[in-house]
Amino acid sequence: MSRTVVRTMTGALALTAAAAVTPLASPASAVADSIVIGGQPAHVKDSPWVVALSSRDRFGDARAGQFCGAVAVGPKKVLTAAHCLSSEALGADVGQMRDLRIISGRDELNGSGGKEIAVSEAWVNPGFDATTNSGDVAVLTLAEALPGRSVIPMAEAGDAGYRAGTAAVVYGWGDTTGVGDYASSLRSAKVSVLPDSSCEQAYPGGRNGTYDASAMLCAGEPQGGYDACQGDSGGPLVAHGRLVGLVSWGSGCGQAGSPGVYTRISAAIEWMADAG
C-alpha cells in the first residue's frame, strides 16, 4: 500500500474522511498510509529540509491541508512521491491544482511559524508504475526560494547510507498508530537500512507488491515497531546526513516481517537526469 492520505471528497470533510481510512492492502492504491510508527517528536530547526505537502482545497483546514511529506533538495526544488500527485490521491489532475504548496519551517501544521510556499511547477516521473510503485518520485519547483540551510544533499550510488545495517531516520506528520491517529506535529523514527533480501522475501509479488532493488530501498526493523505510515508518503529517509529514500509503500505499518519500502534516491537521481 502507498502511504498518502486518501482524498475522497473536497473541502472541510475531506480530512475527516481521510482520517477514517484503514491501511490499504496493495501498493497499487496510491493514496493512503504513512505517518511515523514508534517514533518521537522532531523539530524542523534540526531538520529544516523536511516539508509538508498541502492543499486545503482538497484536504480541508484541519491539518493545514497536509496529505504527504516532501523534502527540499535545492532552494526551489522539492522531492516527493509520484503517487502523491496522482489523480487518485488528489481527485484531480495535478495540473489543475491551484493551491498546491509546501509548508516549511513549522513543527505544528497549524502553527504560526514557518512559511507556506506555492508550487509553480510539478514534474512526475513518466516512468512511474502505479501498479508496482517503481519509479515513485516527483519534483516540485517552488515559486519562492527556501533558505540555503533548508536543503539536504542526495546520496549518490555507492554511498555508505545504502548499506544494510546503516542507521537511518524517517520523518513525517502521518499516522502514528496505523489506525488513523494522525500527528499534527512533526515526528521521526529511527530505523535500519535492511538487506534487499528482507523486502524481496516480504514482497515477492502478488497483492502485497513486488520489491525492485534497483529502484527501491528496504528499511525498518525485523521485529517491526518502527515505520512510516499513512500521511508520510514522499517524506525523507536520511542516513549519514544525506537523503537516501522517500517514503513509498509497504504492507501495514510497523509490522514484523513487513518492512517499509522507499524510493531509492540514487535511482531517482538517474531518472531526473534522464528527464533533463
Side-chain angles (χ1 to χ4, degrees):
M1 77 193 154
S2 57
R3 296 185 163 180
T4 60
V5 170
V6 173
R7 179 199 173 267
T8 56
M9 57 191 78
T10 58
L13 293 179
L15 194 58
T16 303
V21 170
T22 55
L24 302 182
S26 165
S29 300
V31 244
D33 57 79
S34 297
I35 182 188
V36 172
I37 300 289
Q40 60 192 12
H43 303 287
V44 293
K45 65 180 179 61
D46 302 317
S47 48
W49 23 263
V50 181
V51 300
L53 195 54
S54 165
S55 169
R56 288 181 173 82
D57 283 353
R58 298 291 171 179
F59 296 94
D61 291 326
R63 296 171 68 251
Q66 188 270 346
F67 64 96
C68 270
V71 55
V73 297
K76 298 182 75 172
K77 296 294 181 183
V78 167
L79 301 188
T80 189
H83 76 256
C84 287
L85 303 184
S86 69
S87 57
E88 183 181 7
L90 299 175
D93 185 274
V94 65
Q96 299 174 345
M97 301 285 290
R98 294 294 175 261
D99 75 328
L100 185 63
R101 60 188 61 240
I102 62 101
I103 300 174
S104 171
R106 186 182 298 172
D107 291 351
E108 290 281 345
L109 290 170
N110 283 321
S112 57
K115 301 185 71 173
E116 297 191 16
I117 302 176
V119 173
S120 61
E121 184 179 352
W123 175 85
V124 179
N125 179 18
F128 170 58
D129 185 337
T131 301
T132 64
N133 274 355
S134 180
D136 196 10
V137 68
V139 182
L140 306 175
T141 301
L142 305 182
E144 179 183 341
L146 293 164
R149 69 177 298 270
S150 298
V151 169
I152 188 171
M154 295 183 285
E156 297 187 1
D159 192 283
Y162 296 112
R163 294 177 187 164
T166 299
V169 182
V170 60
Y171 298 82
W173 286 269
D175 189 346
T176 57
T177 63
V179 293
D181 295 323
Y182 288 84
S184 61
S185 185
L186 181 65
R187 293 179 67 83
S188 67
K190 295 179 181 179
V191 296
S192 297
V193 175
L194 298 176
D196 290 320
S197 58
S198 295
C199 279
E200 288 168 345
Q201 180 177 355
Y203 309 113
R207 73 188 301 268
N208 282 337
T210 304
Y211 180 78
D212 177 0
S214 69
M216 302 171 187
L217 185 66
C218 189
E221 296 298 336
Q223 74 277 14
Y226 299 87
D227 198 3
C229 195
Q230 287 99 322
D232 290 330
S233 281
L237 178 70
V238 175
H240 297 317
R242 294 178 291 279
L243 181 68
V244 295
L246 301 175
V247 177
S248 184
W249 62 280
S251 180
C253 301
Q255 298 179 3
S258 297
V261 181
Y262 297 77
T263 302
R264 185 179 288 265
I265 291 299
S266 57
I269 291 172
E270 294 183 9
W271 302 327
M272 292 184 289
D274 289 344

